[in-house]
Amino acid sequence: QQQVKQSPQSLIVQKGGISIINCAYENTAFDYFPWYQQFPGKGPALLIAIRPDVSEKKEGRFTISFNKSAKQFSLHIMDSQPGDSATYFCAASLSLNNAGNMLTFGGGTRLMVKP
Amino acid sequence: NAGVTQTPKFQVLKTGQSMTLQCAQDMNHEYMSWYRQDPGMGLRLIHYSVGAGITDQGEVPNGYNVSRSTTEDFPLRLLSAAPSQTSVYFCASKRLAGGETQYFGPGTRLLVL
């Protein structure tokens, strides 16, 4: 059973447009919600992350919106650029006592930004 | 710092063969983990370790073994490869105390025929 559901699977956006990727989670014990960006042939890299006590976090053109009651969070990419073309993964983390966080990933969204 | 390194980059196996995927990190991270990435499934945790001599199972551990004899290295062993293990494998590491960011290696693409 997938605990983090991500949509859409693929997204095409024109340069300068807004890209929006949505995720929903089931486990209310999750306490850390990162987004990872992956370019072809590379490993995922942390893009931006949020904790459930904050409803929004912005870093440059990237914003996470978090809705705790709905158990949903989303990534918004403003002024999307061709260089943003990549696969994006949302994730949720469950802290384990003295054992670090175990990340549960969504299925991924392949974003293509057309010039 | 090289970060997280993985070898090999690509491997072809026949069903029933065994092999070890290597992972090393030079950031002195306590936590290391292995994921597999399959289309539409995201990344799924196979095994993880919070320090030398300590390992535990993740979401999809069957068919894989791990050991952690040093802080730097965390090899993943396939004892008897099956076509269902065709995937891209990523190793990741992070600090335990106050460390949220996981750093991923470049991946190993495995094809089991």
Side-chain angles (χ1 to χ4, degrees):
Chain A
Q1 184 180 9
Q2 197 169 18
Q3 293 195 56
V4 179
K5 295 184 178 180
Q6 184 172 344
S7 63
Q9 286 188 322
S10 63
L11 181 62
I12 300 175
V13 174
Q14 290 293 130
K15 178 182 177 182
I18 302 173
S19 304
I20 302 174
I21 305 171
N22 300 299
C23 283
Y25 63 96
E26 298 173 5
N27 190 342
T28 55
F30 287 142
D31 57 3
Y32 175 68
F33 300 87
W35 285 88
Y36 280 79
Q37 180 187 54
Q38 184 182 31
F39 293 105
K42 305 291 186 182
L46 179 67
L47 183 64
I48 187 173
I50 197 169
R51 289 201 173 273
D53 53 348
V54 177
S55 61
E56 185 174 283
K57 183 173 182 180
K58 184 176 181 179
E59 289 184 1
R61 296 184 293 108
F62 301 90
T63 299
I64 301 179
S65 297
F66 188 84
N67 186 330
K68 189 175 181 178
S69 61
K71 294 189 288 185
Q72 295 175 346
F73 58 111
S74 60
L75 176 69
H76 295 236
I77 306 175
M78 312 299 289
D79 187 25
S80 299
Q81 300 296 312
D84 297 330
S85 297
T87 300
Y88 293 81
F89 294 96
C90 63
S93 177
L94 178 64
S95 293
L96 302 173
N97 289 338
N98 300 317
N101 314 60
M102 293 180 67
L103 281 175
T104 299
F105 283 86
T109 297
R110 182 172 291 184
L111 171 66
M112 178 185 296
V113 181
K114 288 191 169 183
Chain B
N1 284 356
V4 180
T5 58
Q6 292 183 237
T7 56
K9 289 185 178 180
F10 180 69
Q11 183 72 46
V12 179
L13 289 179
K14 295 181 179 179
T15 297
Q17 287 184 317
S18 63
M19 80 161 294
T20 299
L21 281 65
Q22 301 292 343
C23 174
Q25 52 91 10
D26 61 359
M27 297 175 281
N28 203 31
H29 287 168
E30 300 93 342
Y31 182 92
M32 296 186 73
S33 55
W34 276 101
Y35 293 86
R36 59 176 290 172
Q37 182 177 20
D38 303 291
M41 302 291 290
L43 289 92
R44 291 180 292 169
L45 183 65
I46 304 172
H47 285 284
Y48 67 96
S49 168
V50 296
I54 305 171
T55 64
D56 207 344
Q57 297 180 351
E59 181 185 355
V60 287
N62 292 341
Y64 308 95
N65 277 357
V66 292
S67 60
R68 184 95 179 267
S69 57
T70 67
T71 300
E72 296 77 20
D73 301 297
F74 190 43
L76 178 72
R77 282 182 286 275
L78 283 70
L79 301 178
S80 178
S84 61
Q85 294 178 304
T86 293
S87 187
V88 182
Y89 292 85
F90 289 99
C91 179
S93 73
K94 67 183 282 293
R95 289 185 295 116
L96 261 186
E100 301 290 1
T101 304
Q102 290 208 34
Y103 296 87
F104 284 82
T108 293
R109 186 174 294 272
L110 177 66
L111 175 62
V112 182
L113 301 175

